[in-house]
Amino acid sequence: MIFTTENIFLLGSILIFLSIVISKTGYRFGVPTLLLFLFTGMFFGSDGLGLQFDSPKDAQFIGMVSLSIILFSGGMDTKFKDIHPIIAPGVLLSTIGVVLTTGLTGLFIYSLSCFSVFGIQLSLIVSLLLAATMSSTDSASVFNLLRTQKIGLKHRLRPILELESGSNDPMAYMLTIALMEVAVSGASFSFPGLLGDLALQFSLGAGFGYGCGKLCTWIINRINLPNASLYPVLLLSMVFIIFTVTDMLRGNGYLAVYIAGLVVGNNRLSFRKEMTTFMDGLTWLVQIVMFLTLGLLVNPKEMLDVSVVALAIGVFMILVARPASVYLCLLPFRQLSFRAQAFLSWVGLRGAVPIIFATYPMIAGVEGSGIMFNIVFFITLLSLSIQGTTISTLARWLKLDMPEEKDGNEFGIELPDELGSKLKEWVMTEEMLEKGNRLSQMDIPERTLVMLIKRGNSYIVPNGQVELQKGDVLLSISN
């Protein structure tokens, strides 16, 4: 079946609907939802029910738009207080770690060309290019898995993983583009030139992202729109402006939108709840569309031809390249135990980003790019199937799990940031009720007002004579 303007909306809506329904079943059994979206696209694709989609350019565009939203939303949900203590290890993993993974994996791929059983003949540059496309930890997969599986992690492992995955795409992107240009032109590889490009991309991306994040916050807090529903739309337009302008200035747009999201999310913001709800829903939508699109783009039968070599590369990356890069990058940080480093090594998830980066050589006409794309896709399926389904189990086995910190409160009440007030919950215990069980007898701090009391499934509007019971949850507001 060919996509047309007459059926694209119907087919797209059906695919999204089915993906969500299927993901509900998969989530119950611990299967990553993003993996199910990929499988859904493959099932409906050319080797499945026959939907024809063969446009790497369109897939690349959809991926670029989706990643901009995913990275910005991930930045908004990340708190400075969480990442401040782990900036150094996170940045090392997202830069040096990517280079080490590329180098180790590229040399391994090149060595496989010496054995006819693997059926590939790739030059050193093309081998490194293939490795570069897969060198970053996928932000969409990491953000999605850590938040849907609702697992808490010790030693600040979660913010390390989120910082790494949110900031390592620029390095992988630069390596991919630089190596691709060498492979296409046949020119010699210039390491100083690569360092100069990286410095420019990182400095412009970080600087422009930070400045635009501050500007976005200022505009949102001071503009007076007639309808609160317009604020999320305004924010979304700013995300795309940040990405495109940064890219036009030769900075890295992915890094810029992530840092802008960090800045916006960590400042006082009007209509935060409306924008957070909007961005969360939109993030899910673009993740579904992106993974469905990539699933439609691949031909599963072609992956069978590269399954042996892809399996060898995937196992090497999981068991050798990723652990080696993690351990080398974290040598200066003795506070991270061997168990913590082992967990970080295991959560080097591949996902949409490597597949999107693999479309660049296809569009540029790099020799063997079709084989490279199929290898990357196979390894992504392998990573999500093996690593993605075992994260929570491994965390428990390594004794790194802990109860997840709960966002918000049991009452579902949020206050606008501009009020400057804070909500707090109090759970009544026997010790707290020893001096009396009336609200007026509680030791409530000054400038604090108890707004509501939750008892089981009932809510009580309090006064000073309300008799409290063990297990009651009090919601207070303070300045």
Side-chain angles (χ1 to χ4, degrees):
M1 184 181 294
I2 306 296
F3 284 112
T4 65
T5 53
E6 288 77 15
N7 62 27
I8 189 170
F9 289 111
L10 175 62
L11 292 173
S13 301
I14 291 173
L15 285 173
I16 292 173
F17 175 80
L18 291 175
S19 298
I20 295 173
V21 173
I22 292 170
S23 69
K24 179 181 179 181
T25 303
Y27 177 75
R28 188 177 303 169
F29 296 98
V31 180
T33 53
L34 301 183
L35 178 62
L36 295 173
F37 299 153
L38 275 178
F39 280 137
T40 303
M42 293 167 63
F43 177 76
F44 282 88
S46 57
D47 289 344
L49 296 184
L51 291 181
Q52 299 294 325
F53 178 75
D54 187 21
S55 176
K57 286 187 177 180
D58 291 340
Q60 189 181 104
F61 174 77
I62 292 171
M64 179 186 67
V65 172
S66 301
L67 286 176
S68 300
I69 295 171
I70 291 167
L71 288 170
F72 186 87
S73 180
M76 276 192 72
D77 291 339
T78 303
K79 302 304 178 186
F80 276 139
K81 63 181 178 64
D82 293 331
I83 66 170
H84 183 267
I86 50 85
I87 286 179
V91 171
L92 277 177
L93 287 173
S94 65
T95 53
I96 304 301
V98 170
V99 175
L100 289 173
T101 302
T102 298
L104 291 171
T105 307
L107 292 174
F108 178 75
I109 295 171
Y110 182 62
S111 70
L112 295 181
S113 299
C114 301
F115 302 95
S116 58
V117 66
F118 293 108
I120 60 168
Q121 294 292 327
L122 301 178
S123 66
L124 179 59
I125 289 298
V126 176
S127 298
L128 290 170
L129 172 59
L130 173 56
T133 62
M134 303 181 291
S135 58
S136 64
T137 300
D138 184 64
S139 53
S141 301
V142 170
F143 288 149
N144 180 275
L145 283 173
L146 291 180
R147 291 169 187 180
T148 57
Q149 294 194 7
K150 297 181 179 179
I151 180 173
L153 296 170
K154 299 177 182 177
H155 309 305
R156 298 185 184 273
L157 291 177
R158 177 165 168 168
I160 291 177
L161 286 167
E162 292 189 346
L163 176 61
E164 179 202 1
S165 63
S167 60
N168 66 2
D169 293 339
M171 178 64 79
Y173 175 80
M174 277 301 302
L175 288 173
T176 300
I177 298 301
L179 290 166
M180 183 183 69
E181 291 176 351
V182 174
V184 171
S185 65
S188 59
F189 181 75
S190 172
F191 188 72
L194 176 62
L195 287 179
D197 287 339
L198 285 174
L200 179 64
Q201 290 251 344
F202 273 84
S203 58
L204 284 176
F208 199 72
Y210 180 82
C212 287
K214 287 289 188 182
L215 180 62
C216 286
T217 305
W218 185 85
I219 291 174
I220 290 171
N221 288 336
R222 284 164 177 78
I223 194 171
N224 187 17
L225 297 177
N227 192 317
S229 300
L230 291 174
Y231 284 89
V233 181
L234 175 66
L235 182 64
L236 180 63
S237 68
M238 293 177 180
V239 173
F240 294 141
I241 291 172
I242 293 170
F243 180 87
T244 52
V245 174
T246 305
D247 191 64
M248 289 170 59
L249 295 174
R250 295 193 62 200
N252 193 280
Y254 296 119
L255 181 62
V257 293
Y258 178 70
I259 291 180
L262 276 173
V263 174
V264 171
N266 285 273
N267 277 279
R268 181 174 294 179
L269 199 64
S270 300
F271 300 97
R272 178 185 295 275
K273 183 178 180 180
E274 288 83 355
M275 287 184 286
T276 300
T277 303
F278 175 84
M279 292 301 296
D280 285 346
L282 186 60
T283 297
W284 270 108
L285 175 62
V286 297
Q287 284 181 150
I288 294 172
V289 172
M290 178 172 61
F291 277 82
L292 280 175
T293 301
L294 297 175
L296 289 169
L297 183 63
V298 73
N299 295 317
K301 291 180 181 177
E302 294 180 1
M303 282 198 300
L304 295 177
D305 298 332
V306 299
S307 58
V308 175
V309 65
L311 180 62
I313 297 170
V315 171
F316 178 84
M317 293 189 72
I318 293 172
L319 299 181
V320 180
R322 169 68 178 180
S325 63
V326 168
Y327 293 139
L328 289 173
C329 287
L330 299 181
L331 279 176
F333 306 99
R334 301 295 183 184
Q335 69 272 23
L336 286 171
S337 65
F338 176 81
R339 290 183 293 114
Q341 294 184 38
F343 184 81
L344 290 173
S345 300
W346 188 251
V347 194
L349 294 168
R350 270 61 199 168
V353 171
I355 301 174
I356 293 168
F357 285 174
T359 63
Y360 284 88
M362 294 179 69
I363 295 171
V366 175
E367 186 177 354
S369 58
I371 294 175
M372 293 167 58
F373 179 84
N374 290 325
I375 290 174
V376 172
F377 203 103
F378 186 98
I379 292 174
T380 296
L381 294 179
L382 183 71
S383 176
L384 288 175
S385 299
I386 296 177
Q387 295 169 287
T389 57
T390 56
I391 289 178
S392 57
T393 302
L394 183 66
R396 289 192 294 268
W397 185 65
L398 293 174
K399 298 181 180 179
L400 296 172
D401 61 318
M402 59 183 291
E404 185 186 34
E405 293 186 8
K406 184 178 65 175
D407 293 329
N409 54 69
E410 292 190 19
F411 297 82
I413 297 175
E414 295 184 19
L415 295 177
D417 287 352
E418 57 267 25
L419 291 182
S421 301
K422 295 181 180 179
L423 296 177
K424 184 177 180 180
E425 290 183 358
W426 309 75
V427 180
M428 292 293 99
T429 63
E430 291 182 357
E431 291 78 9
M432 299 173 70
L433 297 172
E434 286 179 351
K435 297 181 180 180
N437 65 346
R438 296 186 183 277
L439 183 59
S440 58
Q441 297 171 316
M442 295 295 103
D443 187 15
I444 304 295
E446 292 185 5
R447 302 176 64 84
T448 299
L449 175 67
V450 176
M451 301 166 54
L452 278 175
I453 300 173
K454 183 179 180 182
R455 180 175 297 164
N457 294 322
S458 302
Y459 294 89
I460 302 171
V461 178
N463 57 47
Q465 300 306 309
V466 169
E467 295 184 356
L468 302 175
Q469 300 177 7
K470 178 184 175 182
D472 285 352
V473 182
L474 279 60
L475 179 68
S476 66
I477 183 173
S478 59
N479 293 325

